Amino acid sequence: MKLCRFQLLEFNAAAASRSGEAMQPEPRIGRIEGETVHELSGSLLGETKASGRSWKLTEVALLPPSVPTKIVCVGRNYIEHAAEFNNDVPKEPLIFLKPPSAIIAPGEPIVLPAISNRVDYEGELCVVIARRCRQLSDADDVRPYIAGYTCLNDISARDLQFSDPQWTRAKGFDTFCPVGPHIETQLDPRNTVVETYVNGLQRQSANTSLMVYPCEFLVRWISRMMTLEPGDLIATGTPAGVGPLLPGDQVEVRISGIGVLRNPVHASRA
């Protein structure tokens, strides 16, 4: 099942919420079937029921499918990606955080900061947390804690990553975390293909079976350090083949069984 957050492209301003001085339509939740979004009531990560209303996908704008308190990312989780930068595979998962302010929706532009001379794409499978979890043991069933999976692009200012002793600046710019287009609840994360395309050309491709640390292991391991809240995201690492983005590019993260996360690339206005 494909679950999403969305806004109507046409909306009644009298029913909209106010954000600053701009009127914005209320976010809604839904289930995607084919080219139709069926509205749901309730909580996207909890109990839902059909509202009886539906729209064509062309009539809505998809939002980031989750509103996380944190985005936990895993580095060097594919052997070939570690090797392409002459790094060893970590003996334990190598994790870092991206701020929620970096998140953008499908179709929103990735903005290249003027301070960086090289900004790379990194297509990744992303775990969406369903319910609070902490201190999970090896015997705990992880599945009830996972709402589903989505696509994520861990945009990285590579030159800043190489120059800084830690990665917060390189990974944390606004627009550096495209997520979407929806949450897929029925997916085998152990056997799916992660691909990245730039301007229609394939740049990355690998099966998740090649992950050093699989998704269920990562959820348990991370929960022993920090409490995972509903909606939190775990980006599970990128395959080999990362490379730079340029203004005017169109980058796509395609994951079999989920779909396509597509974003244009813009130059900084600063």
Side-chain angles (χ1 to χ4, degrees), residues 20-269:
E21 297 182 355
M23 298 298 290
Q24 298 291 335
E26 288 280 6
R28 302 168 186 249
I29 61 173
R31 181 185 72 254
I32 299 174
E33 292 183 356
E35 298 301 313
T36 302
V37 178
H38 300 273
E39 185 184 44
L40 302 173
S41 61
S43 169
L44 191 65
L45 302 179
E47 296 294 326
T48 62
K49 62 179 181 179
S51 73
R53 294 180 290 187
S54 63
W55 294 269
K56 296 178 181 178
L57 277 173
T58 54
E59 297 176 314
V60 308
L62 293 178
L63 301 173
S66 176
V67 183
T69 68
K70 54 189 167 293
I71 306 153
V72 187
C73 301
V74 183
R76 303 174 191 166
N77 201 25
Y78 290 81
I79 294 173
E80 290 186 358
H81 172 57
E84 70 182 336
F85 289 117
N86 297 314
N87 292 313
D88 294 329
V89 174
K91 295 181 179 179
E92 291 184 302
L94 174 62
I95 62 172
F96 57 93
L97 298 174
K98 290 176 87 84
S101 56
I103 288 179
I104 57 172
E108 286 194 85
I110 299 161
V111 179
L112 306 180
I115 194 174
S116 174
N117 293 316
R118 175 173 167 172
V119 174
D120 285 8
Y121 55 82
E122 293 190 12
E124 307 194 12
L125 176 67
C126 179
V127 179
V128 183
I129 297 298
R131 49 188 279 205
R132 173 178 281 197
C133 60
R134 62 186 301 272
Q135 297 297 330
L136 297 181
S137 72
D138 291 342
D140 285 323
D141 184 358
V142 173
R143 289 172 295 179
Y145 298 98
I146 297 176
Y149 303 86
T150 192
C151 307
L152 184 145
N153 199 338
D154 175 20
I155 304 298
S156 305
R158 194 68 69 200
D159 51 350
L160 302 183
Q161 183 181 2
F162 289 157
S163 68
D164 291 355
Q166 47 79 31
W167 298 351
T168 302
R169 181 169 65 140
K171 301 279 192 174
F173 284 94
D174 289 351
T175 78
F176 269 28
C177 192
V179 181
H182 51 257
I183 299 169
E184 175 54 62
T185 63
Q186 303 296 320
L187 183 80
D188 182 357
R190 301 166 298 179
N191 183 27
T192 191
V193 177
V194 178
E195 299 176 299
T196 303
Y197 287 75
V198 179
N199 302 327
L201 299 177
Q202 186 186 81
R203 302 299 189 189
Q204 293 181 286
S205 182
N207 194 291
T208 54
S209 63
L210 299 175
M211 284 183 183
V212 179
Y213 301 104
C215 293
E216 292 192 0
F217 178 93
L218 291 171
V219 173
R220 292 189 183 97
W221 193 83
I222 292 168
S223 79
R224 295 166 191 167
M225 281 155 282
M226 61 188 81
T227 300
L228 293 169
E229 301 287 355
D232 282 353
L233 303 177
I234 299 176
T236 59
T238 197
V242 300
L245 293 169
L246 298 173
D249 284 347
Q250 181 99 339
V251 58
E252 299 178 355
V253 178
R254 305 180 188 179
I255 300 182
S256 59
I258 299 179
V260 182
L261 169 65
R262 183 180 295 109
N263 296 89
V265 181
H266 290 184
S268 172
R269 295 180 181 178

